[in-house]
Amino acid sequence: MSGARQNAELEVHDTAVLMSLTTPNGRLLEEVARCARAQVDFRGNKILVSGEQANVELAHRFLVDAVELLGKGVPVGPQDVASAIRSLRDDPNSSLTSLVEDAIVVGARRRAVVPKTRAQRDYVRCIRESDLTFGIG
């Protein structure tokens, strides 16, 4: 089922953020393109997204949030793209920043654990908001 083609562009003003998104070898943008099923390229300081409307909107949402997170110093790598895009697709009202807020820091040397599904995010929120939480399953 092919929908109308749409184009979107995102201008990145911070050179360090742009470098994080486009290198090494553009792996992060390739992963965004693969997971969002849209074509993602960059030219100068602009990231260009094209494809079906829903896919372009999804990739653009991810990229806008990724730019914001990278600007704050939060690392975003190719290994994070698939689960983040899946979460954004499952919950159109969520954002990457809300996913990172749900992260659980296990230790100083380890990477934070981030809930990958809506149910996991709800469970983490419940743990933080309640004195007693039961998990079954």
Side-chain angles (χ1 to χ4, degrees):
M1 195 161 95
S2 110
R5 290 199 53 86
Q6 181 178 341
N7 297 316
E9 73 178 38
L10 173 65
E11 190 169 354
V12 182
H13 298 287
D14 187 341
T15 306
V17 170
L18 184 65
M19 294 300 291
S20 296
L21 284 172
T22 58
T23 58
N25 304 323
R27 283 185 44 224
L28 191 129
L29 293 182
E30 287 175 4
E31 192 67 16
V32 171
R34 185 182 69 74
C35 293
R37 297 182 210 111
Q39 185 176 352
V40 181
D41 296 307
F42 72 96
R43 185 165 285 125
N45 68 334
K46 293 182 180 179
I47 298 174
L48 312 167
V49 184
S50 61
E52 292 184 17
Q53 181 177 354
N55 297 339
V56 169
E57 289 172 359
L58 179 65
H60 190 264
R61 275 179 52 213
F62 172 85
L63 290 168
V64 167
D65 287 348
V67 166
E68 182 181 343
L69 289 175
L70 288 166
K72 292 178 179 177
V74 178
V76 177
Q79 69 278 5
D80 303 318
V81 173
S83 62
I85 286 184
R86 191 175 326 110
S87 294
L88 292 175
R89 184 177 279 132
D90 291 345
D91 186 3
N93 297 322
S94 70
S95 68
L96 288 184
T97 53
S98 68
L99 294 176
V100 170
E101 289 170 356
D102 290 338
I104 301 169
V105 179
V106 178
R109 291 188 175 152
R110 292 187 160 200
R111 203 174 155 156
V113 177
V114 179
K116 291 180 174 55
T117 65
R118 179 187 284 167
Q120 290 174 351
R121 281 194 309 274
D122 291 343
Y123 181 63
V124 169
R125 271 193 209 110
C126 189
I127 290 172
R128 288 194 172 136
E129 294 170 358
S130 304
D131 292 332
L132 184 62
T133 303
F134 292 96
I136 300 172

